[in-house]
Amino acid sequence: KLASYNLSIGQVAAAIRSANSELEAGHYELGNNAFKVYSGTFLSNASDVAKLVVGVSNGGPVFLADVAEISAGPSETSNIVRHYTGLSYSGDIPSDGAPAVTIAFSKIKGSNGITVSKQIIDRIEQFKGYLIPDNVHVVITRDYGKTAEDKVNELLFKLVVATGVVTLLIWWFLGFRPAFVTLLIIPNVILITVFGAWLTGFTIDRVSLFALIFSIGILVDDAIVVVENIYRRWLMAGQTSKEISVDAVREVGNPTIIATLTVIAALLPMAFVGDMMGPYMMPIPALGSIAIMYSLFAAFVFTPWLTYKLRPSLKTLHKTEEAEERFQQRVGKFYRKFIFRLMENRLLGWITLLGIIFVWFMSVFLFYTQSVTVKMMPFDNKPEFNVVVNMPAGTSLPKTAAVTQKLVDAVRQQVPEVIDLQSYVGTVSPYNFNGMVRHYYLRQQPWQADIQIKLLDKKDRERNSHDIATETRNSLTPLAKHLGARITVAEMPPGPPVLQTMVAEVYGPTPEIRRQVAEDITLRFEEAEYVGDVDNYIEAPH
C-alpha cells in the first residue's frame, strides 16, 4: 500500500512525529488581557491516529488508516484492584482475587443518606441482567446508609428507654398523675427541639440524637419542681385551686430560671470549640440549650395546667404525703445516727475527714499510675477497617501487588469474621471521613496499596471491630516487616478523625537536618512499648 501511494516508512514516521506535538507559538494581547498561543495537539486515541494525513496521492489526502491497521490495544497497567471473599462469606459466588471496579456514590447536601442508599441498591438490582451482564457480579462492600440507619434506630430506642425510665421513677416517687404529665411533656419538648433543629439547619444524626437523650434527664427537672410545689401548696391550703397553682409556680419561678440558665451556661462553651471537633459536637450545646429552654417554658405553662386538670383528691395527696414521710423517717433515722456520731465523736470525725482526703488523693493517683486509661472518645463497633500498605518509594507495581496479595491471604486465613476484602494497588480506595483527614485520596503511587476489609454485622459476631483490628495488626506487622513493607491498620473512628493517634511535626533549618531528626524520632517511636503502627512522610530517594 505504501508503494501504491508512493510513500516510504520514513515519511509516515515523520508525519506522525510532527502531528503528535504541541508547541507554544507565542502570545498576543487583546484589550487588558494577554493570551498564550499553542499550535498542534497530542494524539489521544486510535481515531485521531487513523485520521492523520501522511501524504498526498492523485490530488487527494492519504490517511494513515489507508496504509496501516490501527487498533486500541491494552495500555500499560497503572493500578490493580481485586475482590476477595473471606471465611464468613455466605454467598453463592466466592472470589479469589477477581478483577474489580469500585463505584462510590455520595449524596448531595440536604438529602437523606438512608433513602439514597436504599434507592441505589434497588436500582442496581433492576440493572442486573440487561445493563449489568451475567458474568459481572455486583457486591455491596460499603453501605453507610445502613450504618446510619442502625445508629439512628439504636439511639431512638434509647430515647424511648430513657423516657420510660424517667416516667417510671416519677411514678414511683410522685404517683401516676405527675408521671403522666411528664410523659406528655417530654415528647412535646423533643418535637419542638426537632423543629428548632430544622429552623437552625441541623440534621437528625447520631450527635443530635445524643443531645436529645442527654437532655431528657434535665428536661423533667423543671416540671418536677413545679409539680412538687403545687402539691405542697395544695396540702398546706387544704384545697386544690387555680390561684394556688399559679402562686406555687411564681414561688419557684426565679430559682428555676436561674438553675436552667446555669445548665445552659455550662453547655454553651462546647459550641466554641475550634478545629473539626467544634462543628462535629455543635448539636449538643445548640439542641440541648433549645430543649432545656423550651422545657422551662413547658414547666411554667403546660405543667401547671395539666397538673390542675389531672389533680388528685386531697385524700390521695395526704396518703402520698404520709408514705413519703414514712420513707424520709426511715432514711433520716439512719442518717441522724450516722451524722451525729461523726459530729459528737472528735476522733471519728477526724478519721472520716482524713479518709475522704486519702481516697481523693488515691483517685487522683490513678492518673499518675495510668491504671485508668484516657481516651478522647470510646471505641466503636464498626463493620469495616482498612490496612494501608506502604512499600519503599520506587517499588514497582507488580512487587507491591505481590506483597499485598500475601497480606490479603493472611487476613483471609486468620480472621474468621471477614466477609470480603478489596485490594487497591497503585490507586486509591473510595475514601471516607477518616481518609479525607489522612489524605488517602492522594495515594496513587505504584508503591502504595490499601486493603479494605468488611466484617460481619456486630450482631453476628462476638468480638468487636477494635479487637479484630488489633489482632490483625499483631499478625500482619511481622509479615509486612519481613516483606519490606510498612502497614497501618486504620479503624473507623467514632468521632472526628485525626492524622494519627500521635504525630510529631519536625521543623529545622535545612532539609538534611529535618530528615535526620524525623528518622531518629521514627526510630524512637518504633522502640516505644505501647506504640503500634509507625510511619513517616519522608519521601525516600527513588
Side-chain angles (χ1 to χ4, degrees):
K1 287 188 175 182
L2 286 173
S4 66
Y5 289 116
N6 293 321
L7 294 174
S8 66
I9 290 292
Q11 288 176 290
V12 174
I16 296 174
R17 189 180 303 112
S18 63
N20 189 37
S21 64
E22 181 179 278
L23 298 174
E24 184 177 340
H27 73 278
Y28 73 95
E29 295 181 355
L30 179 63
N32 295 325
N33 299 317
F35 296 89
K36 286 186 177 181
V37 179
Y38 295 91
S39 66
T41 183
F42 294 109
L43 301 172
S44 59
N45 52 57
S47 177
D48 291 344
V49 177
K51 296 175 182 178
L52 189 62
V53 177
V54 294
V56 179
S57 178
N58 296 326
V62 179
F63 298 101
L64 187 56
D66 296 332
V67 296
E69 292 182 359
I70 301 168
S71 62
S75 62
E76 185 177 346
T77 302
S78 60
N79 57 73
I80 301 172
V81 180
R82 296 191 177 276
H83 176 76
Y84 306 84
T85 52
L87 294 175
S88 293
Y89 177 73
S90 58
D92 301 327
I93 309 173
S95 176
D96 187 15
V101 172
T102 302
I103 303 176
F105 297 90
S106 60
K107 72 179 186 69
I108 62 175
K109 184 178 180 179
S111 59
N112 190 317
I114 299 173
T115 304
V116 171
S117 174
K118 290 180 178 179
Q119 290 178 348
I120 290 173
I121 295 174
D122 292 341
R123 185 60 58 89
I124 290 174
E125 293 297 325
Q126 296 172 14
F127 286 161
K128 289 181 179 179
Y130 74 96
L131 184 61
I132 302 176
D134 293 335
N135 62 342
V136 174
H137 306 290
V138 180
V139 179
I140 308 297
T141 58
R142 307 158 182 81
D143 187 357
Y144 295 138
K146 183 179 183 304
T147 304
E149 184 178 28
D150 292 342
K151 285 290 183 183
V152 169
N153 289 339
E154 182 179 353
L155 286 170
L156 286 174
F157 173 74
K158 291 179 179 178
L159 196 65
V160 174
V161 170
T163 304
V165 169
V166 170
T167 304
L168 288 175
L169 284 173
I170 295 175
W171 189 0
W172 179 267
F173 287 101
L174 294 180
F176 171 76
R177 288 179 173 83
F180 186 70
V181 170
T182 304
L183 190 61
L184 292 178
I185 293 295
I186 290 179
N188 181 272
V189 173
I190 290 175
L191 287 175
I192 294 297
T193 306
V194 172
F195 178 70
W198 177 68
L199 290 178
T200 52
F202 288 102
T203 58
I204 297 300
D205 51 30
R206 286 174 289 177
V207 182
S208 58
L209 284 174
F210 171 78
L212 293 179
I213 296 174
F214 161 78
S215 301
I216 283 180
I218 307 173
L219 297 183
V220 297
D221 284 353
D222 298 340
I224 290 174
V225 170
V226 170
V227 172
E228 282 189 325
N229 201 52
I230 291 174
Y231 281 5
R232 183 183 69 87
R233 291 290 303 276
W234 282 348
L235 285 169
M236 289 174 59
Q239 60 176 327
T240 56
S241 67
K242 295 179 183 178
E243 292 75 13
I244 295 176
S245 302
V246 172
D247 193 60
V249 176
R250 177 202 58 77
E251 194 174 30
V252 296
N254 288 341
T256 306
I257 293 172
I258 293 173
T260 303
L261 294 178
T262 303
V263 175
I264 294 175
L267 282 177
L268 283 181
M270 191 184 295
F272 300 96
V273 176
D275 297 326
M276 193 179 296
M277 182 62 79
Y280 187 86
M281 304 298 286
M282 179 66 77
I284 294 179
L287 299 185
S289 298
I290 292 174
I292 294 169
M293 280 299 297
Y294 184 74
S295 70
L296 178 66
F297 173 79
F300 288 167
V301 177
F302 301 131
T303 301
W305 175 73
L306 282 171
T307 303
Y308 181 77
K309 289 295 183 181
L310 300 174
R311 61 188 182 279
S313 64
L314 284 174
K315 183 179 179 181
T316 303
L317 285 176
H318 282 296
K319 285 184 178 180
T320 305
E321 181 187 24
E322 292 171 359
E324 182 180 358
E325 187 176 354
R326 288 194 297 270
F327 176 77
Q328 289 180 350
Q329 286 177 352
R330 288 195 297 269
V331 174
K333 184 178 180 182
F334 168 79
Y335 176 76
R336 282 191 296 270
K337 183 185 297 184
F338 177 75
I339 196 67
F340 283 142
R341 186 172 297 176
L342 289 179
M343 295 174 66
E344 293 171 354
N345 191 321
R346 187 179 182 85
L347 177 63
L348 189 59
W350 275 106
I351 292 174
T352 303
L353 177 60
L354 294 175
I356 293 173
I357 296 173
F358 174 76
V359 171
W360 184 84
F361 273 106
M362 288 298 294
S363 302
V364 175
F365 196 67
L366 293 175
F367 291 99
Y368 177 77
T369 60
Q370 298 182 5
S371 301
V372 179
T373 57
V374 179
K375 279 187 92 285
M376 183 66 181
M377 300 192 78
F379 291 121
D380 202 353
N381 199 356
K382 300 284 188 178
E384 61 172 305
F385 65 91
N386 286 52
V387 177
V388 180
V389 183
N390 290 314
M391 297 292 290
T395 304
S396 65
L397 186 75
K399 173 65 175 177
T400 306
V403 172
T404 305
Q405 177 70 49
K406 292 182 180 179
L407 295 174
V408 168
D409 291 340
V411 174
R412 296 176 68 194
Q413 295 170 7
Q414 299 174 11
V415 185
E417 293 91 347
V418 172
I419 298 178
D420 55 50
L421 310 90
Q422 298 81 44
S423 65
Y424 302 85
V425 183
T427 187
V428 61
S429 65
Y431 65 93
N432 44 35
F433 196 17
N434 198 25
M436 181 182 68
V437 173
R438 298 187 176 188
H439 300 168
Y440 286 164
Y441 53 88
L442 299 176
R443 296 176 50 81
Q444 301 184 15
Q445 300 294 340
W447 51 87
Q448 296 172 334
D450 186 358
I451 304 172
Q452 165 78 20
I453 302 173
K454 180 182 177 182
L455 305 174
L456 287 168
D457 188 87
K458 62 182 180 181
K459 299 176 183 176
D460 301 325
R461 50 183 163 87
E462 295 182 0
R463 296 191 297 175
N464 60 41
S465 60
H466 176 69
D467 294 336
I468 298 172
T470 302
E471 181 184 314
T472 303
R473 176 186 291 110
N474 295 336
S475 62
L476 291 188
T477 299
L479 176 60
K481 188 175 182 180
H482 173 72
L483 297 172
R486 287 179 179 268
I487 65 166
T488 299
V489 177
E491 299 180 61
M492 289 285 288
V498 293
L499 192 61
Q500 291 292 348
T501 307
M502 181 166 53
V503 178
E505 294 186 3
V506 179
Y507 304 90
T510 65
E512 293 75 16
I513 293 177
R514 292 194 298 270
R515 180 184 293 271
Q516 185 59 50
V517 172
E519 290 175 350
D520 294 342
I521 292 176
T522 302
L523 184 61
R524 294 295 298 271
F525 278 172
E526 290 175 341
E527 294 172 349
E529 182 178 0
Y530 297 109
V531 175
D533 308 325
V534 180
D535 208 344
N536 57 49
Y537 286 91
I538 302 175
E539 186 173 4
H542 64 280

